Amino acid sequence: MAAEIKTLHANNKPNLIGKVEDENHDYVTALVLTPNEDGVITVSEDRSVRIWLKRETGQYWPSVCHFLTSPCTSMTFCSTTKQLFIGLQTGTVEEYRVADDYNAIYHQRRYAAHTKEVTDVVFGVEKEILVSCGKDRSIVWHWTQNGQKMGDHQVPSVPLCLQFDVKSNYVFCGLSNGEIPIIKIDKNSCQSINTLKGHASATNTLFWDASKGILYSGSSDKLIIVWDIGSKKGTSFELEGHKSKVVSVHFAAATQQLFSLGEDGSCVVWNMAVKRQETPVWEEKDQCAKCQAPFFWNFRQMWSDKTIGLRQHHCRKCGIAICAKCSAKRSVIPLMGFEFEVRVCDACFNAIPEEEKKSLATFHSVKHNVIAASPDWKRSWLATSGQDRVVKIWDVSPVLESNA
């Protein structure tokens, strides 16, 4: 049950400083680094909540190992009040208080929140509001002072992740169909504000930057979308740097860096201090914008030209509808978030200067397929859990300092 400590030295890369390996440990579904202590709180599919603290030997040992009645699916921890909320597969949310020395937890309350598995929980400590979502396609909020249910809201598909803005009472919810509904909750009611549509697959993770009114969303379509909610202009742009689904995103405000982690085992660090370009709207036309060849649904022109219709493509830089022949070139466009080469028309390919092709992100391997991640920016640490059933603690100060 011990955890070995290793240190890897590499310039501008995360350094592995701690590892928790337990042959009896199942997949860790959520975790958080313990404030002011060298440790990590984990919840797992084996129904356990554990608090791992670093001992004098340099190893991590569990100071708490408590088993619940059902597999743990989600968790949130409030460091100021030491309140720990754990979502279960049965649909309930359990509230615990963590001892100041992290050597004990005390059960406080059980919330009968959902009829199916809880997929995420968030806590607004300023207003004592607990918000949860579950596979019963509902968002539910409780007042934690007395455990009373305040309201609920149904969504069109399974909600997977949540963010809660305490100031505005806005709840952002990522759905399995890729949509992100925004609702405003009240004591006994709620109001639908908007629905963000941009992802082609499930929205797995959200991060809300309340200071700038920016919402970051990561999806199974391998994309991160940055939504500018605060400007009220409806602008957004994409970040493309993963080869598999994105499972966790976190924003380091001090250095203006976005950390995204995926099932591909990569940690991509995005420079968000630069002014990026908005993703263009894709045109829909009956013929290629360059050579005027008909697309395959343009039967009238195909008949008149006695030709076979072509497949429609789009230039990722300007958004025009174009055929494959007129968009044979590929280019990176970091200012638009495209760190991998994407399809562009000949005109845009020739117009992109070499200095604009310089990468605005750095790519790092965490050497396991990530399930969950949690940062502690004060100490420049990042904890990750993987499908290898290992928890890793990283020192990311070299990455943060590289953008300081």
Side-chain angles (χ1 to χ4, degrees):
M1 197 173 285
E4 62 175 315
I5 303 301
K6 297 180 180 180
T7 301
L8 304 179
H9 298 285
N11 293 329
N12 300 332
K13 293 183 179 180
N15 296 325
L16 183 61
I17 58 174
K19 184 186 289 188
V20 176
E21 294 179 290
D22 184 356
E23 60 183 13
N24 299 316
H25 206 290
D26 211 331
Y27 295 117
V28 170
T29 52
L31 73 170
V32 64
L33 290 160
T34 53
N36 306 317
E37 288 284 346
D38 192 347
V40 59
I41 304 173
T42 64
V43 297
S44 174
E45 287 187 355
D46 63 8
R47 301 182 293 110
S48 71
V49 51
R50 290 177 167 94
I51 302 179
W52 306 83
L53 296 179
K54 185 178 180 180
R55 307 304 181 179
E56 293 180 357
T57 60
Q59 296 178 326
Y60 290 86
W61 287 85
S63 62
V64 171
C65 184
H66 178 73
F67 286 87
L68 286 79
T69 58
S70 174
C72 307
T73 57
S74 53
M75 177 258 285
T76 187
F77 176 65
C78 179
S79 59
T80 56
T81 60
K82 296 294 193 299
Q83 288 171 280
L84 177 67
F85 300 91
I86 304 170
L88 303 183
Q89 197 176 80
T90 56
T92 62
V93 178
E94 301 286 353
E95 178 185 348
Y96 290 86
R97 184 178 65 81
V98 179
D100 290 339
D101 60 4
Y102 297 102
N103 284 310
I105 61 173
Y106 307 97
H107 189 264
Q108 302 296 297
R109 184 173 284 114
R110 175 176 292 118
Y111 301 86
H114 301 275
T115 58
K116 294 183 179 180
E117 178 181 314
V118 179
T119 51
D120 201 8
V121 287
V122 292
F123 178 52
V125 62
E126 297 88 344
K127 294 184 178 178
E128 298 180 293
I129 295 178
L130 173 71
V131 187
S132 63
C133 60
K135 287 189 174 180
D136 56 3
R137 299 188 179 185
S138 69
I139 303 170
V140 180
W141 51 101
H142 289 82
W143 192 28
T144 59
Q145 194 171 93
N146 59 11
Q148 179 182 355
K149 179 179 176 180
M150 301 175 69
D152 62 80
H153 177 74
Q154 291 292 313
V155 288
S157 67
V158 175
L160 302 176
C161 51
L162 291 171
Q163 287 286 275
F164 178 42
D165 181 57
V166 177
K167 185 177 180 180
S168 65
N169 274 10
Y170 279 13
V171 174
F172 306 90
C173 183
L175 304 184
S176 59
N177 66 1
E179 296 179 354
I180 306 172
I182 305 173
I183 64 172
K184 183 176 183 179
I185 63 174
D186 204 343
K187 289 184 178 180
N188 299 304
S189 63
C190 71
Q191 176 186 358
S192 294
I193 303 299
N194 195 6
T195 299
L196 306 178
K197 299 180 180 180
H199 287 296
S201 191
T203 301
N204 304 309
T205 178
L206 296 171
F207 184 88
W208 170 243
D209 179 7
S211 62
K212 291 188 175 181
I214 300 291
L215 180 70
Y216 301 92
S217 61
S219 169
S220 294
D221 62 10
K222 309 175 188 177
L223 293 179
I224 299 161
I225 299 182
V226 183
W227 310 87
D228 188 354
I229 308 295
S231 69
K232 299 181 180 180
K233 295 180 180 179
T235 57
S236 64
F237 56 86
E238 299 176 358
L239 301 175
E240 184 177 335
H242 285 275
K243 296 180 179 179
S244 185
K245 76 176 185 179
V246 183
V247 299
S248 190
V249 292
H250 303 277
F251 183 65
T255 57
Q256 296 294 293
Q257 289 169 294
L258 180 71
F259 283 63
S260 62
L261 298 104
E263 270 196 351
D264 54 4
S266 68
C267 172
V268 185
V269 183
W270 307 85
N271 181 1
M272 304 307 296
V274 299
K275 185 177 181 181
R276 294 180 179 266
Q277 298 175 10
E278 187 178 4
T279 307
V281 177
W282 284 5
E283 291 182 350
E284 295 299 329
K285 298 290 184 179
D286 291 331
Q287 60 184 18
C288 175
K290 295 296 183 181
C291 68
Q292 283 72 54
F295 295 130
F296 63 82
W297 59 81
N298 189 352
F299 299 109
R300 178 175 296 181
Q301 186 176 345
M302 283 192 293
W303 177 261
S304 62
D305 293 352
K306 299 297 188 290
T307 186
I308 298 175
L310 304 176
R311 181 183 175 187
Q312 177 182 258
H313 296 279
H314 293 89
C315 172
R316 296 313 194 263
K317 182 165 177 59
C318 66
I320 63 170
I322 201 165
C323 70
K325 182 180 178 181
C326 295
S327 58
K329 295 183 174 65
R330 302 289 184 272
S331 177
V332 295
I333 319 174
L335 283 175
M336 298 184 70
F338 297 117
E339 292 290 337
F340 301 150
E341 289 188 341
V342 291
R343 181 185 298 272
V344 291
C345 65
D346 292 346
C348 285
F349 181 84
N350 295 327
I352 302 174
E354 285 300 318
E355 57 267 24
E356 289 189 9
K357 295 181 181 180
K358 184 179 179 181
S359 178
L360 296 174
T362 57
F363 298 81
H364 314 280
S365 174
V366 291
K367 299 180 181 179
H368 60 181
N369 299 336
V370 178
I371 295 175
S374 178
D376 181 344
W377 300 129
K378 290 183 179 179
R379 291 182 289 185
S380 300
W381 287 3
L382 177 70
T384 61
S385 67
Q387 293 180 8
D388 55 0
R389 304 186 183 187
V390 175
V391 172
K392 297 180 179 181
I393 302 173
W394 303 87
D395 174 13
V396 295
S397 57
V399 182
L400 295 170
E401 290 168 2
S402 67
N403 199 49

